[in-house]
Amino acid sequence: MLVLAVRSVRGRPGRFLATLLSAFLGAALVMAFGSLHDTAGQPGVDAVSAQTLTTSASVVGGYGTLLVFFAVASTLTVNVRQRAAELELLRCSGATPAQIGRMVVGEAVAVALVGVVLALGPAVLGGQALLGVFQDSGQVSRSVGFVLGPVALLSGAGVTLLASAGAAFLAVRRATRRGVRRARARTLLAYGALAAGALAAAGTFTFSATDAALMAAPAYGAILLSVGCALLAPRLLGALLAGLPLGGASGWLAARNLRRRVDELSGVLMSLVLFTAISTATVTMQSVESDAVAASGLRTSVDAKNLQTLNLTVVGVIAVFVCIMLVNSLYAATSYRSSEFGRQRLAGATPVQVLGTVGAESAVLTVVGVALGSLAALAGIVPFTMVRADGTLPGQTFGIWLAVCAVAAAVTLGTSLGTARQVLRTPAIGAVTRAV
């Protein structure tokens, strides 16, 4: 099966492009921040510089691992579902579910290895850029030189390969073992994340307004709540579509397609929820913190400066990565619909009507993802503001939220419509016959 996996990747590399891009970006992210550990561990690095670099690498390590898993899982799930007929043919030919699972996992690991190798160059550039940010802000000495060592290499390769193998195993397991048990496990995990996020957000009230660790509790709370909302998003989307009055042929078809593909779109919804929650919550809380320090008239301490740089750097890197993950998931989910679009056109739909359907689907996904992400962000912003600024909702929230929503809508609509437009260039008959 491992030989078959390698032949499958070599035979049709195009269908693994989205998975390769996810593995490549994930490995680059983890190795870039992991290199800060190697840099901090050099002989002669002063204690302040070492602490700043180690803290930054440690904070992003957990986030990076989670994001890499989600990114690879979303594209692999779409990939496995696209190949349902192929996998069923293998099963009918005598292959057992375990053999099919080993083949899919072998494919994922092979693609991940290529992604790790390709990510070495960008990881070096990214690590050097991160070191430069901390040196420009005065938090790391100029004498500290950049090193990409064993911590970065082992963490990048290990996280990417384990995430790819685990995501592939779960994807093929979902494809071959449908049932209520899987839904119950997903629901329990979602409620567990929501409960943990609520406890973390409530823990904000145990800190004082000047506590250096005040922002950690609401930030983790917002992230955990966004994960819980993302896991429940497909179910909530299905309930919303049951009574959503979308008019016209494109609207009716969009609602029908979304109901049929609600599980496939879980990766897109998760990316939207995470992007909205993390970006809105972190930027807003940092803005509140900066205003509170300015209002106090006190000089910003080194620790506060470190925290500000770390927050903005982390949220910037994570937001960009989640945005790319969203684009990747949307591309993977839309590009394989060539035969579906071809059948619609043969039935009388014009390319404009097909694009209208895709646009309506993307609009609904954007609204649901942004709404759930906004709720998760508010669960972190409100407790933090109450403790730090004696308020409830800071005035900066609306402007930051609008900017995040604009980026989410532009990325979702732009990627979906752009990919659909590219797919529609294939003649309708050719698209249908190619699928057959």
Side-chain angles (χ1 to χ4, degrees):
M1 280 297 171
L2 291 177
V3 175
L4 186 60
V6 174
R7 288 181 177 176
S8 177
V9 174
R10 292 175 58 187
R12 296 183 62 184
R15 66 183 178 188
F16 296 100
L17 182 60
T19 304
L20 175 62
L21 181 58
S22 296
F24 163 75
L25 293 172
L29 174 68
V30 175
M31 283 193 288
F33 277 92
S35 67
L36 300 183
H37 271 299
D38 295 312
T39 302
Q42 296 180 88
V45 176
D46 61 279
V48 175
S49 299
Q51 182 180 4
T52 299
L53 294 171
T54 303
T55 302
S56 303
S58 300
V59 168
V60 179
Y63 292 159
T65 302
L66 187 66
L67 291 174
V68 170
F69 180 82
F70 285 152
V72 177
S74 61
T75 53
L76 277 174
T77 299
V78 175
N79 180 280
V80 170
R81 281 177 175 155
Q82 290 174 357
R83 301 165 58 196
E86 174 189 338
L87 298 179
E88 180 64 19
L89 179 61
L90 287 173
R91 192 186 67 81
C92 294
S93 300
T96 65
Q99 289 174 324
I100 295 175
R102 286 196 295 271
M103 184 192 73
V104 175
V105 171
E107 293 171 351
V109 170
V111 172
L113 280 173
V114 176
V116 169
V117 173
L118 294 176
L120 288 173
V124 171
L125 297 177
Q128 291 174 336
L130 288 170
L131 179 61
V133 168
F134 289 112
Q135 289 176 332
D136 291 341
S137 63
Q139 300 166 73
V140 175
S141 173
R142 290 283 183 185
S143 62
V144 176
F146 174 78
V147 173
L148 183 75
V151 175
L153 296 174
L154 291 175
S155 62
V159 167
T160 306
L161 293 176
L162 288 175
S164 298
F169 174 78
L170 292 177
V172 75
R173 184 182 178 88
R174 283 195 295 266
T176 56
R177 298 186 182 182
R178 304 175 183 271
V180 179
R181 185 177 301 176
R182 185 191 69 188
R184 288 178 178 174
R186 185 186 184 98
T187 302
L188 288 175
L189 184 60
Y191 287 142
L194 290 175
L199 289 174
T204 307
F205 297 103
T206 63
F207 294 92
S208 65
T210 57
D211 199 315
L214 173 62
M215 197 181 297
Y220 279 118
I223 292 172
L224 289 170
L225 287 168
S226 66
V227 171
C229 290
L231 291 172
L232 292 176
R235 180 182 299 181
L236 296 175
L237 177 60
L240 174 66
L241 292 172
L244 189 64
L246 289 176
S250 295
W252 178 87
L253 191 57
R256 178 181 176 277
N257 288 341
L258 287 173
R259 282 195 294 268
R260 180 173 56 86
R261 300 171 53 240
V262 67
D263 287 335
E264 298 177 19
L265 297 170
S266 58
V268 176
L269 284 170
M270 182 166 288
S271 301
L272 278 168
V273 174
L274 289 173
F275 172 74
T276 304
I278 293 174
S279 302
T280 305
T282 309
V283 175
T284 302
M285 288 189 290
Q286 183 57 57
S287 180
V288 171
E289 174 66 23
S290 300
D291 288 349
V293 172
S296 67
L298 299 175
R299 183 179 178 181
T300 304
S301 65
V302 175
D303 289 339
K305 193 174 182 180
N306 288 349
L307 182 62
Q308 179 179 0
T309 304
L310 177 61
N311 283 333
L312 295 178
T313 301
V314 168
V315 75
V317 171
I318 290 178
V320 170
F321 182 80
V322 174
C323 251
I324 296 174
M325 185 173 80
L326 175 60
V327 170
N328 206 17
S329 299
L330 284 167
Y331 178 82
T334 306
S335 60
Y336 86 100
R337 300 174 67 184
S338 177
S339 61
E340 175 189 338
F341 295 159
R343 290 192 298 271
Q344 291 175 5
R345 292 159 65 191
L346 290 177
T350 65
V352 174
Q353 289 174 321
V354 174
L355 289 175
T357 300
V358 175
E361 294 172 6
S362 302
V364 173
L365 287 175
T366 302
V367 170
V368 173
V370 166
L372 293 175
S374 300
L375 291 175
L378 286 175
I381 293 171
V382 172
F384 177 81
T385 307
M386 292 175 67
V387 175
R388 189 69 178 94
D390 293 327
T392 304
L393 194 64
Q396 308 95 314
T397 306
F398 187 67
I400 294 171
W401 179 78
L402 281 180
V404 172
C405 290
V407 173
V411 170
T412 305
L413 291 170
T415 304
S416 298
L417 292 175
T419 306
R421 187 180 182 89
Q422 180 182 359
V423 171
L424 287 172
R425 292 177 181 174
T426 303
I429 295 179
V432 174
T433 55
R434 181 184 299 176
V436 177

